[in-house]
Amino acid sequence: MGIYLPIAEISVNVFVLLAMGAAVGFLSGMFGVGGGFLITPLLIFYNIPPAIAVATGANQVIASSVSGVLSHMKRGTLDFKLGGVLLAGGIIGSTGGIYVFAFLRRLGQLDLFISLLYVVLLGTVGGLMLVESVNALRATRSGAAPVLKKSGQHNWIHRLPLKMRFRASKLFVSVIPVLGLGAGIGFLSSIMGVGGGFIMVPALIYLLKVPTNVVIGTSLFQIIFTSAYTTLVHATTNQTVDVVLAFLLMAGGVAGAQYGAKAGQRLRGEQLRALLALLVLAVAIRLAIDLFVTPPNLYSLSAADLN
Amino acid sequence: MRAPNAFATAVVLSLLAATAPAKAQVPLTEGIQIGLSTDNVSITAGFSGADLTIFGSLENPDPLVARQGRYDVIVVLEGPPKPVVVRRKDRVLGVWVNLDSETFENVPVSYSVATTRPLQDITEPNSYKQLSLGASNLYMQPADAGDSPATIEEFTAALRSRKAATGLYSENVGGVQFLSQNLFRATVRLAPNVPVGTHKARAFLFKSGVFIKESSAQLEIRKSGFEQSIFRVAHNYSFLYGIFAISLAMLTGWLGRVIFRKD
């Protein structure tokens, strides 16, 4: 069944989009990530213009994050104060990102920049995760007890000024890295259409040493608002949010997410991480190939802004 | 009965024309008129391209010329003009990057042509150029006239071929058919991605390869129904639209949790 997308201005198949949403939702529920990093490239592969894929991806991320946050709120695994500071940074980063987005779009380098960011970030994160999880899998196979990070171990981040206490995370840390991390994620959110969970989660664990149990809930909490802000700014400055497209993805996504979460409970942590790493790398490689392979058309047209 | 009469008049008048050419030809000049059955076309959700039929008539056709098939009609449906940037990708360190670009002013977003015969059989390339008629003869005004002619030519050609590849510039040879001596029907293609806005239908009449007259009519193409409302709201009330998109996402997320919860 075809449907005409009012903003993307093309006809697409409803079932393809629902299935796409469900598949990504399933994976995001399984791995505890928003799924924006999968949705946006998939939409681009499905010939949705990148600018619309990014803005709509940000909109879709809200739905899956709300779904996830609700269950974390119930379990109390959410640090509102930490989330709030991250969010303040996120708004700043996102605002900057929107300007860069509009600027690159005018230059005609937006698509390239989006692809490069995806390849570099997904490649790095996927690669690191794969190495880490394969090591963990080997360690368990050889019977050795996993090496736990010593608590109280401090790095340079903990020596910065302007410290603030985050009770739910049992953390006493400078606000500078928290704001900076939020801003970085906000920037990526507006340019890549992702929530940024796949960077936020490892950064909170390894850089800020936030306890793992509050990490996902807190990251999802701040992602809701950062992506809401990104969606709003894209809607007002670029008019690139397609609600029909977003709704189809969300409808499939929220259904898939709940089943994915259940499936995720049956797999062990390191197996799950290894699978996610492979998935992330696959998307990165697919996007990288497009950068290097000679395109079928060297010329492209776009609306010009003569002012 | 009418045809021989008309023939007779034509002969008489052409004799007159021979004696007093300047005066006598004026009332007899052939004309062309086109009519659209509607002045607006609405695109709905399922729009996957369509054929648009335009009827027209010749005024004062010379029956002899008509019988010999020496009248030719070219009908063009031209989309609203918009500025366009054409970009060319080149390899930089192995990666394909948009490098050179050329901006053109007032390029018709779409351009569908229907003709009685192949364009090259109707008239000389030069008269097409003068009339700026046909996708390959359309004059594209570069925004920066200082660029080298070779570059401009290269990007103009790329612009035409990209437009043709997406179906926005099309040519329907044989798309104009004479139904009688002075009535014709033209079928122009509307691509699935036909742009909204005011389109201009133009009909050109040629007699034995000589351009005689042009006539035009306007056609409004717009989106209708649900999609149109969304598009309008997204552009005119973008802030509220954004708020709506966010609320919809939050509501869907919450409902999804309530309906599908598995824990």
Side-chain angles (χ1 to χ4, degrees):
Chain A
M1 197 174 82
I3 189 168
Y4 184 82
L5 300 176
I7 307 295
E9 300 191 292
I10 52 168
S11 275
V12 290
N13 189 313
V14 174
F15 299 110
V16 170
L17 289 178
L18 281 175
M20 206 188 267
V24 172
F26 185 83
L27 294 170
S28 74
M30 191 155 142
F31 300 122
V33 292
F37 73 95
L38 290 172
I39 279 283
T40 308
L42 278 176
L43 289 179
I44 296 173
F45 297 152
Y46 194 50
N47 288 327
I48 306 284
I52 289 161
V54 166
T56 306
N59 191 9
Q60 185 272 339
V61 165
I62 303 173
S64 53
S65 306
V66 166
S67 236
V69 156
L70 288 172
S71 60
H72 283 282
M73 264 167 71
K74 207 173 135 207
R75 278 183 255 153
T77 48
L78 204 169
D79 186 337
F80 284 101
K81 194 176 176 189
L82 180 63
V85 177
L86 285 170
L87 178 58
I91 301 292
I92 300 165
S94 178
T95 309
I98 298 278
Y99 280 106
V100 173
F101 184 92
F103 174 70
L104 288 168
R105 197 173 166 191
R106 243 186 347 264
L107 280 187
Q109 304 299 357
L110 180 65
D111 302 5
L112 174 75
F113 194 70
I114 292 175
S115 295
L116 279 177
L117 263 186
Y118 266 105
V119 169
V120 170
L121 280 176
L122 295 181
T124 314
V125 172
L128 288 174
M129 263 170 61
L130 189 65
V131 170
E132 184 271 337
S133 53
V134 166
N135 283 342
L137 280 173
R138 254 198 221 132
T140 37
R141 192 162 301 163
S142 63
V147 190
L148 288 169
K149 288 246 158 51
K150 275 179 223 144
S151 62
Q153 193 180 20
H154 284 175
N155 53 20
W156 60 272
I157 282 174
H158 293 257
R159 285 194 293 273
L160 291 168
L162 290 171
K163 291 207 171 191
M164 196 185 239
R165 191 170 294 283
F166 299 102
R167 281 186 201 289
S169 307
K170 301 183 189 76
L171 210 65
F172 184 58
V173 72
S174 160
V175 290
I176 296 169
V178 182
L179 281 174
L181 180 61
I185 305 283
F187 181 81
L188 295 178
S189 166
S190 54
I191 291 191
M192 299 168 74
V194 296
F198 68 101
I199 299 168
M200 177 77 88
V201 170
L204 286 180
I205 295 176
Y206 297 114
L207 293 179
L208 297 181
K209 316 261 186 235
V210 178
T212 317
N213 62 336
V214 292
V215 162
I216 293 179
T218 307
S219 133
L220 284 176
F221 169 76
Q222 93 93 31
I223 284 167
I224 293 178
F225 295 98
T226 314
S227 352
Y229 179 73
T230 305
T231 305
L232 190 59
V233 182
H234 272 300
T236 48
T237 59
N238 302 313
Q239 280 98 37
T240 41
V241 178
D242 196 313
V243 275
V244 175
L245 176 59
F247 182 73
L248 289 171
L249 295 172
M250 287 174 216
V254 289
Q258 308 295 328
Y259 289 94
K262 194 158 194 208
Q265 286 161 5
R266 293 204 205 103
L267 286 168
R268 284 214 317 278
E270 54 269 28
Q271 289 174 331
L272 216 55
R273 287 203 300 277
L275 282 177
L276 179 59
L278 287 175
L279 186 69
V280 169
L281 280 178
V283 175
I285 290 167
R286 173 69 174 78
L287 283 166
I289 289 172
D290 283 349
L291 286 177
F292 291 101
V293 167
T294 309
N297 286 298
L298 293 182
Y299 297 92
S300 62
L301 306 183
S302 61
D305 190 10
L306 285 181
N307 306 322
Chain B
M1 281 305 284
R2 283 181 60 200
N5 269 343
F7 181 58
T9 346
V11 170
V12 170
L13 285 167
S14 63
L15 283 173
L16 273 174
T19 51
K23 271 183 191 168
Q25 269 185 357
V26 178
L28 242 198
T29 317
E30 292 94 335
I32 185 166
Q33 287 299 331
I34 49 172
L36 300 170
S37 54
T38 167
D39 56 5
N40 65 72
V41 170
S42 297
I43 301 176
T44 52
F47 187 76
S48 55
D51 282 339
L52 180 75
T53 305
I54 298 172
F55 285 98
S57 68
L58 304 190
E59 290 166 347
N60 310 318
D62 182 334
L64 181 65
V65 178
R67 208 166 302 146
Q68 289 170 345
R70 286 193 282 125
Y71 279 122
D72 281 299
V73 172
I74 299 177
V75 174
V76 176
L77 186 71
E78 205 179 306
K82 291 262 164 69
V84 168
V85 195
V86 185
R87 295 197 169 89
R88 188 181 66 205
K89 280 196 166 72
D90 284 292
R91 224 170 196 156
V92 177
L93 303 172
V95 175
W96 289 95
V97 181
N98 281 330
L99 272 190
D100 289 346
S101 70
E102 188 70 58
T103 307
F104 293 93
E105 294 166 358
N106 301 329
V107 176
V109 183
S110 61
Y111 196 86
S112 321
V113 180
T115 62
T116 41
R117 288 189 292 160
L119 280 172
Q120 69 268 21
D121 296 349
I122 295 177
T123 184
E124 300 295 308
N126 254 341
S127 47
Y128 285 130
K129 280 241 163 63
Q130 277 167 12
L131 292 167
S132 190
L133 174 59
S136 46
N137 302 300
L138 262 182
Y139 177 65
M140 316 276 192
Q141 167 80 46
D144 180 7
D147 290 336
S148 80
T151 317
I152 292 174
E153 199 169 309
E154 178 199 335
F155 281 94
T156 310
L159 171 56
R160 288 189 183 118
S161 78
R162 290 311 300 146
K163 285 283 193 185
T166 49
L168 284 170
Y169 282 17
S170 65
E171 206 172 278
N172 185 6
V173 173
V176 181
Q177 287 168 332
F178 278 100
L179 303 173
S180 73
Q181 221 167 63
N182 47 12
L183 189 67
F184 66 85
R185 180 181 60 202
T187 309
V188 289
R189 291 201 185 108
L190 295 181
N193 49 348
V194 67
V196 292
T198 307
H199 290 237
K200 200 170 167 194
R202 297 158 81 195
F204 296 81
L205 174 65
F206 292 86
K207 179 181 162 188
S208 313
V210 180
F211 170 64
I212 305 288
K213 207 126 194 208
E214 180 193 335
S215 153
S216 67
Q218 296 212 332
L219 176 74
E220 192 70 26
I221 293 188
R222 49 187 191 206
K223 291 180 188 170
S224 76
F226 179 58
E227 294 73 26
Q228 160 67 5
S229 317
I230 292 182
F231 184 86
R232 232 185 11 237
V233 171
H235 283 83
N236 299 346
Y237 308 96
S238 49
F239 184 78
L240 286 178
Y241 176 83
I243 298 284
F244 171 74
I246 294 166
S247 318
L248 181 71
M250 291 193 166
L251 188 70
T252 313
W254 175 72
L255 276 179
R257 166 96 185 124
V258 172
I259 298 168
F260 296 102
R261 70 191 300 167
K262 291 273 152 199
D263 53 359

